Amino acid sequence: MIVMKFGGSSVANAERIRHVGGIVAERLSQKPAVVLSAMGDTTDYLLEAADRALTAGEVSMEKITVPHLEAAAALRLDAADEREITALLEELESLLRGIALIRELTGRTRDYLVSFGERLSVRIAAAWFRAAGMNARAFDAWETGFVSDSNYTRAELDRESWSRVKKILTPLLEAEILPVITGFIAKDGKGNITTLGRGGSDRSATIIGAAMNAEEVQVWKDVDGILTADPRLVPEARVVEEVTYEEAAELAYYGSQVLHPRAMQPCRKTNTPVLVKNSYNPAAPGTRIVPVLEKPGLPVRALTTRKNVTLIDIVSTHMVGQSGFLESVFSCFARNSISVDMVATSEVSISLTLDSAHDLGTLEEDLGRIANVDIKTGKAIVTIIGDVRRSSKILKEAFGACAAMDVQVEMISQGASKVNISFIVDDTHADGVVRKLHEIYFGQE
Ligand code: ASP
Ligand code: MG
């Protein structure tokens, strides 16, 4: 079997859903299970509507009702299917009224509220797939075995979910049913709806793929695959043919929005290949995410950059030969609930980076009690994803380029992950450095 996951923009309207139906129909012999996101930006609109209800006591859901009813009408759903859609929209409206009335929105209610996006999209799509002659059936994730903890807005599935999913889906596929399953959502042990975190449908798909030991998980997006760099920054950026799970996970974390950072984990456990495809351009080969590269070519897979980073240098003369200094430094960050990204240490100093969003007032005071602290804002992390075993060559070229451009490198981190080399430069230099490195590693083409 295969898993085919389609993101929001792939199912944004009736036309896109028809198109997706065509893509699925061509692959029926591979026994697909389909996983869908909410249509278009529905999740954002649901959160906006919740916010409006909470803060202004207003119920406004046109941005949600209109596209769904339009799609249902354009796809000429059966009366019964259409009733399911209107029933869900009515339930959503009551919920928003409730929030507007009591002016309270708990994590639990928030998850219940955003779940409508995926519940609507699978019903509309499955109805269309049936109209197009496929034996499709819509499922809410919990009907296919997804049970999670109660960490609302970022729930984690329980261990038994995998075996439940397999037990439920196997006979369905054997009966030649095409399951169309909600991504992103689950239910906890008490029966409350939960979500796996924004962008979580990728993870729903890879969990199903791993649980079913799928031949492949296809993640259908609106881009041709993982790119060597952000094309807004590097127009010559091109699709990467193959990356490892580790590389894909680091890329997701470092700002390539293609995949959810935690989506790789399940398939990595079972060595299930993940293929990133473009639903707008199905003929393009896409990017294959695999345990080991079949065609190890260039040492570098891709480049990313993260701007607006703050660099903190912490220097202590007490550090020499001392135990517990790192702990006291990091406990300052923990106390202030600030999460650290990159770290480099020497015998007497620690450099680390954070997103600039944090308020550093009390942190600086706290740290000041144990060390000398120097905070620099306006920095950027440049990350090279590739084979760190070839780092000498990679670094030689990277630093050669920085030197030639007269760009100062302020901190380096390599080795913690076997696929990530990161360094800090001034924000203003980051784009130029990435463009130059792209030219060096990938040629001009
Ligand atoms: N619809 C959810 C979101 O937008 C989940 C997903 O698309 O993966 O975050
Ligand atoms: Mg989405």
Side-chain angles (χ1 to χ4, degrees):
M1 64 90 62
I2 59 171
V3 177
M4 301 179 76
K5 184 260 165 177
F6 294 90
S9 96
S10 299
V11 291
N13 53 42
E15 192 203 328
R16 300 303 311 159
I17 292 171
R18 275 196 209 103
H19 180 70
V20 162
I23 294 174
V24 174
E26 276 169 20
R27 290 161 179 82
L28 282 182
S29 64
Q30 289 177 278
K31 288 193 174 291
V34 173
V35 175
L36 299 184
S37 287
M39 285 171 60
D41 294 325
T42 302
T43 309
D44 292 329
Y45 297 145
L46 285 163
L47 290 168
E48 264 173 45
D51 215 47
R52 241 355 232 279
L54 181 68
T55 55
E58 282 168 23
V59 174
S60 71
M61 47 185 282
E62 297 75 44
K63 281 183 176 171
I64 301 146
T65 34
V66 171
H68 289 95
L69 292 178
E70 265 178 19
L75 296 169
R76 293 174 212 245
L77 301 197
D78 285 359
D81 290 325
E82 190 146 5
R83 268 199 302 280
E84 271 201 65
I85 305 302
T86 36
L88 278 175
L89 290 170
E90 277 161 22
E91 187 185 337
L92 170 63
E93 189 175 345
S94 319
L95 177 60
L96 285 169
R97 284 199 191 292
I99 297 167
L101 196 65
I102 58 172
R103 299 291 186 96
E104 191 181 89
L105 183 62
T106 59
R108 175 162 64 110
T109 310
R110 194 175 173 279
D111 277 358
Y112 171 33
L113 184 121
V114 291
S115 77
F116 283 91
E118 272 69 9
R119 289 154 76 198
L120 286 161
S121 72
V122 294
R123 283 166 176 79
I124 294 175
W128 169 253
F129 292 175
R130 280 193 297 275
M134 292 180 264
N135 191 17
R137 222 160 97 188
F139 289 92
D140 292 321
W142 49 86
E143 298 173 305
T144 61
F146 276 68
V147 177
S148 74
D149 59 24
S150 305
N151 277 320
Y152 300 109
T153 73
R154 55 190 151 79
E156 209 32 86
L157 295 187
D158 70 9
R159 284 165 162 275
E160 290 76 41
S161 285
W162 286 36
S163 50
R164 268 195 306 266
V165 165
K166 188 170 165 96
K167 210 164 142 201
I168 295 170
L169 284 185
T170 306
L172 288 173
L173 294 175
E174 272 165 14
E176 310 220 325
I177 290 168
L178 171 66
V180 182
I181 307 163
T182 55
F184 182 49
I185 59 178
K187 264 187 185 175
D188 68 9
K190 289 170 271 176
N192 295 312
I193 296 177
T194 58
T195 65
L196 309 183
R198 289 306 306 269
S201 354
D202 284 348
R203 193 165 153 83
S204 308
T206 52
I207 285 167
I208 294 175
M212 296 296 291
N213 223 329
E215 279 150 53
E216 180 171 279
V217 176
Q218 301 174 353
V219 182
W220 292 79
K221 305 261 164 184
D222 56 5
V223 290
D224 277 343
I226 295 178
L227 297 177
T228 49
D230 182 342
R232 286 165 301 184
L233 194 66
V234 186
E236 304 80 31
R238 55 176 194 255
V239 176
V240 188
E241 223 179 304
E242 257 191 353
V243 296
T244 64
Y245 299 122
E246 287 83 353
E247 290 167 349
E250 294 271 351
L251 272 169
Y253 178 68
Y254 279 97
S256 127
Q257 298 297 338
V258 174
L259 282 167
H260 188 266
R262 297 180 53 238
M264 285 309 105
Q265 240 172 22
C267 285
R268 191 170 169 176
K269 278 195 189 141
T270 50
N271 286 345
T272 309
V274 178
L275 182 61
V276 182
K277 292 276 287 178
N278 188 354
S279 72
Y280 290 77
N281 183 17
T287 299
R288 269 183 90 71
I289 307 171
V290 290
V292 260
L293 298 182
E294 272 155 35
K295 311 171 202 162
L298 302 171
V300 173
R301 213 70 54 232
L303 303 166
T304 66
T305 170
R306 185 139 94 203
K307 302 254 182 73
N308 249 320
V309 165
T310 298
L311 175 65
I312 305 189
D313 289 324
I314 300 159
V315 181
S316 168
T317 42
H318 308 310
M319 195 171 168
V320 187
Q322 279 267 4
S323 66
F325 181 69
L326 284 175
E327 189 196 338
S328 55
V329 166
F330 283 110
S331 63
C332 289
F333 285 90
R335 263 200 308 282
N336 289 280
S337 305
I338 292 176
S339 88
V340 169
D341 294 328
M342 273 170 70
V343 186
T345 69
S346 79
E347 196 61 46
V348 293
S349 67
I350 310 174
S351 294
L352 36 80
T353 69
L354 349 150
D355 280 340
S356 67
H358 304 289
D359 175 14
L360 301 180
T362 50
L363 175 80
E364 196 173 359
E365 243 171 66
D366 269 14
L367 286 171
R369 274 187 217 109
I370 51 173
N372 297 326
V373 185
D374 186 12
I375 298 182
K376 298 175 200 155
T377 55
K379 302 292 170 187
I381 304 179
V382 174
T383 298
I384 304 172
I385 304 293
D387 186 351
V388 167
R389 284 168 307 182
R390 287 150 89 178
S391 68
S392 302
K393 184 172 155 34
I394 295 172
L395 286 169
K396 175 177 168 243
E397 287 168 336
F399 295 151
C402 289
M405 295 169 79
D406 212 15
V407 169
Q408 197 60 35
V409 173
E410 287 186 65
M411 169 185 170
I412 313 164
S413 152
Q414 184 222 310
S417 134
K418 295 302 166 222
V419 299
N420 171 333
I421 299 173
S422 290
F423 56 89
I424 302 290
V425 297
D426 272 346
D427 248 348
T428 48
H429 292 141
D431 291 357
V433 168
V434 169
R435 274 191 216 109
K436 186 75 202 161
L437 292 185
H438 196 275
E439 197 183 306
I440 292 172
Y441 296 130
F442 300 103
Q444 242 147 0
E445 240 188 10

